[in-house]
Amino acid sequence: MSKLNGRTIALLGARKTEELSKIVHNLGGIPLVRSAQGTVYLNDSHLEEDVTRLMEGEFDWIILTTGVGTELLYNTAVRMEAGDRFIEALQKMKIAVRGYKTKNLLKKLGLESAVRDDDGSMAGLVRNLEGQLSGNVKVALQLHGDPAPLLMNWLDEQHIEHKEILPYEHVAPETETMTLLIQEILDGKIDAVMFTSAPQPRNLMRFARDLGVESHLINRFDSEVVALAVGKVTAQVIIEEGIGRVIYPEDQRMGSAMVELVKFYQGNLTK
């Protein structure tokens, strides 16, 4: 018996689908590419303005949520021939970071954070921001083209003024692809769905709500369909979207996620 035993695994990412499809195939599964990622494009129309405001000392805090977004801010400053000025400005601010990639990039730039998450998630970041911010500070909030409702709602509840900086923006995936994916899940044609980023579960459930089948889709995930996340952060978003059963690896690697899926099925041979 093969490890995935002919099960159909839907791959919702837009990147590395060929590599993932090969892994699924080698494990004895059937890969099915259904991109729920949409497209991502650089929104640089206001980025130089945002970087200028940072360098002018307008903010007391900056919250950096992704390494890619942080690097884009720095590279924008370098393009403006103001890389050193950008670093000096952040040295005068208090910095909060989420994720090890963001932390590593900050270290590379010679900067230190005052606050960071305890588990790689927005919830972990909010936990450690508790008591650190007050209503009389102004915060720059770097996001990666995807809303962070938990963090933003918390800032609103604390009456903290914040400015969103969005180096990237996500465009919704194709309606035809999402409709097909949802129907395949409801019809029992898919055994597991692999989510590799936060926008994917949000897009899936938004389309399900628009189609009026959100509860039916959640029931499928709670009973027959396995939600597989690439890591803890994506898993948290899946849970926030109402899907309670999620499996994921600790090291946030796609290959490790597939290993977790195999372990799940080996422990649930009646499925």
Side-chain angles (χ1 to χ4, degrees):
M1 182 182 294
S2 63
K3 293 182 178 180
L4 289 177
N5 197 27
R7 294 180 173 90
T8 298
I9 315 300
L11 308 174
L12 270 55
R15 297 172 54 250
K16 297 186 177 181
T17 55
E18 185 175 344
E19 176 185 336
L20 274 172
S21 294
K22 185 175 181 179
I23 293 174
V24 172
H25 179 75
N26 290 341
L27 290 172
I30 302 170
L32 186 67
V33 177
R34 294 285 185 265
S35 178
Q37 181 74 42
T39 56
V40 181
Y41 68 90
L42 178 64
N43 179 13
D44 58 0
S45 58
H46 299 293
L47 205 51
E48 289 190 5
E49 179 184 339
D50 290 333
V51 168
T52 298
R53 293 174 67 179
L54 287 169
M55 293 189 298
E56 289 177 347
E58 184 174 329
F59 303 96
D60 305 293
W61 279 78
I62 184 168
I63 299 177
L64 302 168
T65 64
T66 66
V68 172
T70 302
E71 188 171 24
L72 272 170
L73 291 177
Y74 174 68
N75 288 342
T76 298
V78 170
R79 190 172 67 245
M80 297 166 63
E81 300 183 352
D84 291 342
R85 185 182 171 196
F86 178 81
I87 297 296
E88 290 171 3
L90 263 63
Q91 286 174 336
K92 296 176 183 178
M93 302 166 60
K94 289 190 176 181
I95 305 173
V97 300
R98 182 199 67 82
Y100 71 92
K101 292 181 180 178
T102 313
K103 177 178 177 293
N104 290 343
L105 180 61
L106 211 63
K107 184 178 180 180
K108 182 179 177 181
L109 295 175
L111 296 167
E112 294 184 1
S113 61
V115 174
R116 64 163 301 187
D117 63 85
D118 53 29
D119 64 354
S121 70
M122 289 294 184
L125 180 57
V126 168
R127 280 194 295 271
N128 287 339
L129 281 170
E130 291 279 1
Q132 298 289 330
L133 300 178
S134 61
N136 61 352
V137 300
K138 191 171 183 180
V139 174
L141 175 58
Q142 175 268 314
L143 300 174
H144 182 39
D146 189 47
L150 183 67
L151 176 57
M152 294 174 68
N153 289 342
W154 181 81
L155 289 170
D156 288 337
E157 290 169 359
Q158 307 303 310
H159 305 291
I160 295 169
E161 183 180 357
H162 55 279
K163 165 70 169 64
E164 296 171 38
I165 299 176
L166 295 165
Y168 278 101
E169 290 187 3
H170 290 287
V171 178
E174 295 180 357
T175 299
E176 183 178 349
T177 299
M178 297 304 295
T179 302
L180 176 61
L181 170 63
I182 290 169
Q183 194 59 55
E184 288 170 328
I185 294 173
L186 295 177
D187 289 345
K189 296 179 179 179
I190 292 175
D191 298 289
V193 177
M194 183 175 186
F195 299 91
T196 56
S197 71
Q200 295 165 20
R202 291 197 179 107
N203 286 335
L204 176 64
M205 299 312 297
R206 178 171 63 81
F207 273 89
R209 285 190 289 272
D210 290 345
L211 293 170
V213 296
E214 179 183 16
S215 61
H216 298 294
L217 197 67
I218 289 175
N219 286 339
R220 291 293 300 168
F221 277 107
D222 286 344
S223 57
E224 299 297 326
V225 181
V226 180
L228 173 66
V230 71
K232 185 179 297 184
V233 175
T234 303
Q236 182 60 43
V237 176
I238 296 170
I239 293 169
E240 290 171 3
E241 288 294 333
I243 299 171
R245 184 181 64 171
V246 186
I247 62 174
Y248 58 91
E250 289 298 323
D251 61 2
Q252 193 157 318
R253 296 180 184 275
M254 294 182 182
S256 299
M258 285 299 173
V259 171
E260 289 299 316
L261 183 62
V262 169
K263 289 180 180 177
F264 174 85
Y265 282 129
Q266 289 177 339
N268 294 268
L269 297 180
T270 59
K271 182 174 171 60

